[in-house]
Amino acid sequence: MREKLNIALLCHPTVGGSGILATELGHRLADLGHNIYLVSERPPFRLDDSHPNIHFCESTPVEFPLFKSPDHTLPLATRIAEVCRNHRIDIMHAHYAIPHTAAAWIAKELIGEASPPTVTTLHGTDIIYLGAKEEYRPLLRHVLNASNRVTCVSRNLKERTEALFTLDREIAVIPNFYEPKSVSRPREEVRESLKCGDEPLAIHASNLRTIKRIDLLLEGFKRALGECDARLLILAGAEAARIEPEIQKRDLQNKVIIQIGVHEVDEYYAAADFTLFSSEYESFCLGILEGMRHGKPSISFDVGGIPEVVEANETGILAPFGDVDGLGKALVSLANDVELRERMGRKAEQRAREHFSAETVVESYLDIYRQELAKA
Ligand code: GMT
């Protein structure tokens, strides 16, 4: 077995936790000397392709008058097979099962016996939402069983996956990691640019999809404002137009700051005071972890894998799902008590370092790669 591996990473380029995680994993593996071939429609938004060991391999969806929309999966499968052959790929690692595990499975058929093993990491909505659909379930069961290894980012997602599929193999739980980047602008400068003065600043970063329940987030925030001063900063993945009516409906225009397409999130986490999430499901919630690494406690609903990330009342506050009053009260308590949020923030940072560090997580993935290669 070669010491330095050639690894094909397959992920979505769009703003979302699975793409961020795959990209960060690629950076870390590249730093360790492995060669990363990242196959996607376009470079994922946080990819540093100036790294000598990172090679971006574009897969181009095909448009054709007979197709109602461009075909992404089959050209992706063809491209994966080509990358595997041309670069002597040792391992394929699919992040987010649809379409990546299916495309890797087709690529395997194309390559034949010389095909490298496949590892699939499930991230959440690929199982909870898409996997539950009858349009995908039989195919997903098949390709997951054909994947040499399957990992999940939390115990909760593993349980949800096992409840939906009978898999032939054990699913490993490998949590997400996050390593903060050094920030180029000091906290005061960022806050000045946001014009938020000394007010406590809550931060929410996501793609604002329906599952994020921004309606509940804004409602909880609105209820808190009667008892505290605070601002809410929303780092919106691509577009925020969808949530603007919700902001206006609650007359929160002067209290909510929206920043779109931010790639360097760290300076915003560093400038904020706590994170705020209101999703109806999160397999993990990478945004909470990003905040924790910057010493920020979190407020969220007690759903999915979030209680595996947050230690309740120690590193963050959890409210039952839908309890907007609870969300608001948590906000008031952190906004009005600097000492409390600093104490929780220190514990959050320590927990993130101890349980969700790049070092441990990357080593867990490498272990899996090596185990599969030893079998070959
Ligand atoms: O929910 C998102 O923002 C996107 C989604 C994805 O797959 O890109 O995120 C999922 O994967 C992240 C990384 O593992 C997790 O931190 C998120 O909790 C998970 N989202 C859901 O489960 C809804």
Side-chain angles (χ1 to χ4, degrees), residues 72-86:
H72 174 57
T73 307
L74 298 182
L76 175 68
T78 313
R79 184 75 171 118
I80 296 168
E82 184 187 67
V83 169
C84 287
R85 283 200 197 96
N86 291 351

Side-chain angles (χ1 to χ4, degrees), residues 298-316:
S298 58
I299 299 171
S300 66
F301 290 134
D302 185 353
V303 295
I306 289 183
E308 296 171 46
V309 181
V310 175
E311 199 181 339
N313 301 322
E314 295 292 330
T315 72

